[in-house]
Amino acid sequence: MILFYKLHMKGYRKMTSFALKTIALISMLFDHFGDAFFKHFSYMNLIGRFAFPIFAFQISEGFTHTKNIKKYFIRLGLFAIISQIPFMLFSNKFLGNSLLSLNIFFTLFLGLLSIYLYDYIIKIFKNQKYKFPIDKLFGIVIVILISFIAEILNTDYGMWGVLVVFSFYIFKNKKYLMIISFILLCSIKYILRFIITNFDYSQLALGIFTIFPIIFISIYNGMQGRKIKYFLYLFYPIHLLILYFIF
């Protein structure tokens, strides 16, 4: 926490959306290259943990800044469908995952849906006055239901992924709460995995590296930088297919 404060106070807010996306793409490439080349856990998987938190944060930012939410949903849904076969081929060959699992675009789609519905519910109750914040309670219930749907559908990162997207959105104007909630979500996820895997210490390493990109996110300056929207979407299925055929 002290590190985040020092970075903020010294003015290290030069991290544009383009820079964040570039870090996420490189991280994802390391992760999947490691899966294909080593076919077991490696240091590349640690670097790969940077990707999802940044993508999740970008979804929350995308919702805030998009001019057309319908097109945003359509774009995520379309690439979720396009990416499914490359994802199935890759994950089944190198990770031994079930062919019934769904790729990360489905998780991001459901994450976007969760913050859209939460925001919609808040707006519905905007002019109502209650002693108890029934609007936020109802909205959070909807978010939890959507996160359960992600888990049932076996999307990449599942329930945890949807909750990360939502936490970035709900605390977007409260940086310290955003950092704390993210660290808490990561801690819960990886401590549970540490216990379930009979105290496999690699899970703790994965947890630490998953938390690490919050540093980059915390110094995000709100600027877009270069636009790489469609390159970002196309990179995911294309690089999975290339790795699948090479290895």
Side-chain angles (χ1 to χ4, degrees):
M1 294 297 292
I2 295 174
L3 173 61
F4 300 136
Y5 177 77
K6 286 182 176 179
L7 287 170
H8 182 78
M9 292 304 294
K10 288 183 179 180
Y12 293 110
R13 293 178 57 79
K14 299 179 181 180
M15 191 65 64
T16 64
S17 178
F18 169 75
L20 283 173
K21 290 173 182 176
T22 301
I23 292 171
L25 287 177
I26 294 172
S27 168
M28 182 171 63
L29 182 59
F30 266 82
D31 190 32
H32 293 154
F33 182 84
D35 289 334
F37 186 79
F38 293 103
K39 297 180 176 63
H40 58 78
F41 177 80
S42 71
Y43 70 92
M44 287 191 171
N45 296 122
L46 297 178
I47 298 172
R49 296 311 91 194
F50 289 14
F52 182 78
I54 293 175
F55 288 139
F57 176 74
Q58 289 297 322
I59 289 294
S60 69
E61 281 293 293
F63 175 78
T64 302
H65 298 292
T66 187
K67 296 178 180 178
N68 192 322
I69 190 62
K70 290 182 180 179
K71 286 185 178 180
Y72 198 8
F73 272 116
I74 291 171
R75 189 161 60 245
L76 281 174
L78 178 62
F79 277 94
I81 294 170
I82 291 172
S83 301
Q84 186 56 24
I85 290 179
F87 172 77
M88 289 167 61
L89 292 172
F90 180 90
S91 60
N92 185 252
K93 181 176 181 179
F94 300 116
L95 303 174
N97 289 348
S98 169
L99 293 176
L100 297 177
S101 59
L102 300 177
N103 69 74
I104 196 171
F105 275 118
F106 285 101
T107 310
L108 296 176
F109 180 93
L110 291 174
L112 179 64
L113 180 63
S114 72
I115 58 180
Y116 171 78
L117 291 178
Y118 178 85
D119 189 68
Y120 181 73
I121 290 168
I122 296 298
K123 287 178 179 177
I124 289 177
F125 288 93
K126 185 176 182 180
N127 296 321
Q128 304 297 323
K129 293 183 178 180
Y130 299 98
K131 293 182 179 179
F132 187 79
I134 190 172
D135 53 345
K136 293 182 179 179
L137 177 62
F138 187 40
I140 289 173
V141 169
I142 294 298
V143 171
I144 292 173
L145 286 174
I146 293 173
S147 69
F148 270 110
I149 290 172
E151 195 69 23
I152 292 169
L153 293 177
N154 198 23
T155 67
D156 205 7
Y157 289 99
M159 172 187 286
W160 182 82
V162 172
L163 293 178
V164 168
V165 173
F166 179 71
S167 69
F168 279 136
Y169 174 72
I170 199 70
F171 297 123
K172 64 181 184 295
N173 296 321
K174 300 175 182 177
K175 184 148 293 183
Y176 279 103
L177 288 178
M178 181 182 74
I179 293 169
I180 292 169
S181 65
F182 178 69
I183 292 174
L184 181 61
L185 284 170
C186 290
S187 298
I188 292 171
K189 174 184 173 68
Y190 285 98
I191 289 174
L192 285 175
R193 289 182 63 172
F194 176 64
I195 296 171
I196 291 170
T197 57
N198 196 25
F199 307 108
D200 180 356
Y201 284 93
S202 67
Q203 295 301 321
L204 296 182
L206 288 168
I208 292 170
F209 275 80
T210 302
I211 291 172
F212 194 85
I214 196 65
I215 295 175
F216 301 125
I217 292 170
S218 69
I219 57 176
Y220 169 62
N221 63 8
M223 303 297 290
Q224 184 179 56
R226 292 185 181 182
K227 294 183 179 181
I228 56 169
K229 181 167 59 178
Y230 288 103
F231 175 78
L232 180 68
Y233 288 109
L234 288 168
F235 182 85
Y236 180 72
I238 290 174
H239 91 281
L240 289 180
L241 282 176
I242 291 173
L243 291 173
Y244 173 81
F245 286 114
I246 289 178
F247 295 99

